[in-house]
Amino acid sequence: MPGMVLFGRRWAIASDDLVFPGFFELFLRVLWWIGVLTLYVMHRRKLDCAGGVLLSSYLIVLMVLLAVVICTVSAIVCVSMKGTICNPGPRKSMSKLLYIRLALFLPEMVWASLGAAWVAEGVQCDRTVVNGIVATVVVSWIIIAATVVTIIIVFDPLGGKMAPYSSAGPSHPDSNDSSQLLNGLKTAATSVWETRIKFLCCCIGKDDHTRVAFSSTAELFSTYFSDTDLVPSDIAAGLALLHQQQDNVSNSQEPSEVISHSPGDSQEADLDAELENCHHYMQFAAAAYGWPLYIYRNPFTGLCKIGGDCCRSRTTEYDLVGGDQLNCHFSSILQTTRLQYRDFIHISFHDKVYELPFLVALDHRKEAVVVAVRGTMSLQGIAQAARYIYRRLINDGILSQAFSVAPEYRLVVVGHSLGAGAAALLAIMLRSSYPQVRAYAFSPPRGLLSKSLYEYSKDFIVSLVLGKDVIPRLSVTNLEDLKKRILRVIAHSNKPKYKILLQGCWYELFGGNPDNFPTELDGGDQGDLTQPLLGEQSLLTHWSPAYSSSSDSPLDSPPKYPPLYPPGRIIYLEEEGNSGRFGCWAAARYRARWSHEAEFSKILIGPKMLTDHMPDILMRALDSMVADRAACLSCPGQGVSNTDVV
């Protein structure tokens, strides 16, 4: 539901978000109350000492205060468990209870201060009693400090600006005043998200390029999250419901109902060859990440393998740009690619937001000049990064130098993640000068190319996608679709949020039948509502910049952004079954096939939507699949199976 309004402003917490923190505080308070009661009952006879009356009074009043707090927190938990996300009527008393709860902090702070002062006076009582009271004072201040931290966390800097417009928006969208107001809100939202992102990326430099990237990334986040009247837990509940709904639809589909896009005999014939190429060139894409990824993939032997070369001084026979003073990056690159020192033409560790590290090497096994690009921080910076590398390769004569050594070789450009997007654009830019160029994009972002450029890229670009990887499904249009689906599933949820989150965690961890998690209100349930449900449109501010203002329903209005597509032909490593929900309990099973871009037109929700994007997971999948397919080819009388074990 919309965030609660307290003290005249909206907060980033809803009235049904207090179940779990309330239970946690209740548990601590009850234990604390029992401990204080035990201390008083067992040692009250030892309080006949100088200052003992004060300490006895402190314990008695503290027990009374704790009892009142326990009753108040119990009431908050009970009220927070009522209703559903979009039926806040049963929780209308929550704001009053919170005011009472917050008011109780004043006597708690006063009494904790008095207790600290009395103990500091050096009372001549039994040390066990004094130490117990010191412990109660310390616990009091810890809880008070934790409350202050919680208030800071749930504080929404935009709450005071956005609350009046959360449901209806400006009355005259075309007026100058409304336009200025919306621009002010958008600027404020971008500023808040920029602060949040800078806080999360505190180790990043603060040059002009970085500031531009932070601003563009913050604008993206503010566009998709600041125009919804939802709190973070609402989005988490919506994602949990979407995952169950998605699995329910998938399970109910007959095989004939599944949309299939067969690429034809010619593409099927070279699937094995392209899989082998992907397996080979993924090593170069991984090498571009340097020693951190190598150590992560080889936690027990990595340091031993590259440690000897890290501090060894060498005469540089290749062009080196940027910082690798200890030679650790290059040592990991040698270990990952299995190339020789002399096979490298150029290595750039120069790392800024739009100026990416990349390497140029001679791959004698495939007779190719390989350009491997590392990823970028910003979706908006992919094109700038590709242009930067293009200028370096052409204007600085790097490719000319490489082909002067091996003129018969062909050019291959590779990259992973956002680096795959930069590699694909770089290959398109280089094709006029190098018609035989090939590109292998591993887990590239979807929202990259226009329709015509997507069709053009099929001749020389191959993309590889693993499982439910979110990045190849990430585009402006898909983000809009995901937001609409979240709003709809939340609006039709018939369960309290705490049950949705609990059942969602159980489903993610242990699986289950998605039919057991209904998301539609039955007719009988609606009669029990204490007030009308909040509709879908009430969860989305009508001044949302992502939708057309001419439509009566923002959820049904067409997006203002044109559709964009992933690069080239797509090999999809599709998971079979639900084994290995987190990729560590059981081996996942995949099958490789050519896929159509339409299969990536929606973001899929699941526990592997992030882990399937990790380069080490992708490399392990390719290692096993290529080995198994080779084994099947060598088996007499056996065809190549589409099912491989990872």
Side-chain angles (χ1 to χ4, degrees), residues 104-144:
L104 288 174
F105 275 108
L106 181 60
E108 275 196 288
M109 292 179 64
V110 171
W111 206 241
S113 301
L114 288 175
W118 290 339
V119 171
E121 288 180 356
V123 293
Q124 303 299 320
C125 292
D126 184 79
R127 292 309 306 172
T128 302
V129 178
V130 175
N131 291 336
I133 293 177
V134 169
T136 63
V137 172
V138 171
V139 171
S140 297
W141 283 109
I142 289 176
I143 290 182
I144 291 170

Side-chain angles (χ1 to χ4, degrees), residues 6 59 80 83 111 116 131 166 168 209 232 274 305 310 344 348 383 394 432 559 566 644:
L6 296 172
L59 292 177
S80 186
W111 206 241
N131 291 336
S166 60
H209 291 85
E274 292 295 6
K305 289 182 178 179
C310 278
F344 290 88
S348 173
I394 300 301
S432 60
D644 298 276

Side-chain angles (χ1 to χ4, degrees), residues 318-338:
Y318 56 89
D319 293 332
L320 175 64
V321 178
D324 187 28
Q325 290 84 359
L326 298 180
N327 214 30
C328 293
H329 280 309
F330 185 63
S331 180
S332 68
I333 291 172
L334 290 175
Q335 291 288 339
T336 303
T337 61
R338 303 296 181 184

Side-chain angles (χ1 to χ4, degrees), residues 358-394:
F358 67 97
L359 62 89
V360 180
L362 299 178
D363 178 17
H364 303 297
R365 176 184 166 188
K366 293 288 187 179
E367 295 187 344
V369 174
V370 180
V371 179
V373 183
R374 209 187 75 180
T376 174
M377 284 178 54
S378 171
L379 280 170
Q380 291 91 335
I382 292 178
Q384 291 96 316
R387 283 195 289 268
Y388 162 77
I389 298 177
Y390 177 83
R391 290 194 299 269
R392 294 291 312 280
L393 294 176
I394 300 301

